[in-house]
Amino acid sequence: MRQRVRSAWLFLAPMLLVLAAVAGWPLARTVYFSFTDASLADLDARQWVGFANYFSVLRMPSGRTLYDGLLVDPVWWRAVWNTVRFTVISVTCETILGMIVALVLNAEFVGRGIVRAAILIPWAIPTIVSAKMWQWMLNDQFGIINVVLLNLGLISGKIAWTASADTAMAAVLIVDIWKTTPFMALLILAALQMLPGEIIEVAKLDGANPWQIFWRVTLPLIRPAVMVAVIFRALDALRIFDLIYVLTPNNVHTKSMSVFARENLFEFDKFAYGSAASTLLFLILALLTIVTIRIGRISLDGGR
């Protein structure tokens, strides 16, 4: 057993070294910069300021007290709310739709292989390409979405889907769900393919209807795979950047934590403040991952 453990670490060592070089070191530098007043114009002139970028108290000569920092920044908390709302809605919809698609693709029918390949096309398209494509389709002047809805009589006038405060988040969600549902379907389909057919046959012989078979047999058996898919997708959704940055630029109603961090790092020349936002984003991702894994383990083990 000791030899197997040593062999395992030996095989993992190159990967761990690469991760430390390309992820660990930049992450450590970002955390360090968040405790300084670093500016992108001159990083070497930075000074240690402690937690001032996160929270600071300034007492004016008049006796008035001002609070500053990321933890009291309403723009940051608006970005947090946008990101959480986007994650919950998108992951929920993609899991449900992915489950339906996976169940359909798991059935026997003519041309199943072609359909399986075709369903992956949205996921295979790069996010930047799909975002620009949907940006043109959702355009209020020449977008095909407005043309179709007008011809069907579903809307009375053209809608600026990506610019309006009422529809901007809905537009982002539609594009993300269209693109990422195949990813969820692929992972769930892989789990369905691993199920032994004998269990389903026994359930049918016992008189179980299709809904009972799915709810009491299929779903409990594929739950670990669904949990893994949800965790992966939630982590990806929480750090959403490219889709929002291309589809709805400079829109406070869709600005995510990653977009907020990028703006402060490079556009507003507040490198230390942006580093603090990036650090908080990492901590939020790590905390939610730990909580999700722990909850999943408790549920799967049958504990309280």
Side-chain angles (χ1 to χ4, degrees), residues 219-224 226-227 291-304:
L219 187 59
L221 291 176
I222 66 172
R223 189 175 300 170
V226 174
M227 287 294 298
V291 170
T292 304
I293 292 176
R294 179 167 291 275
I295 291 175
R297 284 179 176 175
I298 293 174
S299 175
L300 292 174
D301 292 341
R304 291 181 298 173

Side-chain angles (χ1 to χ4, degrees), residues 270-296:
K270 300 168 66 176
F271 194 80
Y273 200 70
S275 297
S278 300
T279 302
L280 279 185
L281 173 58
F282 169 75
L283 293 177
I284 292 172
L285 288 174
L287 179 62
L288 290 179
T289 302
I290 294 172
V291 170
T292 304
I293 292 176
R294 179 167 291 275
I295 291 175

Side-chain angles (χ1 to χ4, degrees), residues 57-183:
V57 180
L58 179 63
R59 291 180 174 84
M60 306 296 292
S62 61
R64 182 184 178 187
T65 302
L66 299 178
Y67 300 98
D68 193 19
L70 196 64
L71 296 179
V72 293
D73 189 343
V75 180
W76 162 254
W77 289 112
R78 179 65 180 268
V80 173
W81 165 244
N82 289 337
T83 307
V84 172
R85 182 175 58 160
F86 169 83
T87 301
V88 172
I89 297 176
S90 64
V91 173
T92 301
C93 294
E94 289 160 8
T95 303
I96 295 174
L97 294 176
M99 180 73 70
I100 296 173
V101 172
L103 291 172
V104 172
L105 295 180
N106 193 49
E108 294 286 346
F109 60 89
V110 178
R112 184 176 63 171
I114 298 176
V115 176
R116 284 182 177 180
I119 202 69
L120 294 176
I121 292 177
W123 181 51
I125 298 176
T127 304
I128 299 297
V129 176
S130 59
K132 291 301 294 184
M133 178 182 69
W134 277 91
Q135 189 179 48
W136 293 332
M137 293 171 61
L138 294 169
N139 187 274
D140 58 326
Q141 297 299 322
F142 54 81
I144 191 174
I145 301 297
N146 279 325
V147 173
V148 172
L149 294 178
L150 283 171
N151 291 334
L152 294 176
L154 298 178
I155 58 176
S156 57
K158 293 182 178 180
I159 300 175
W161 294 96
T162 59
S164 173
D166 299 327
T167 58
M169 180 59 75
V172 173
L173 285 168
I174 290 172
V175 178
D176 186 77
I177 292 171
W178 169 83
K179 176 175 174 54
T180 319
T181 295
F183 170 76

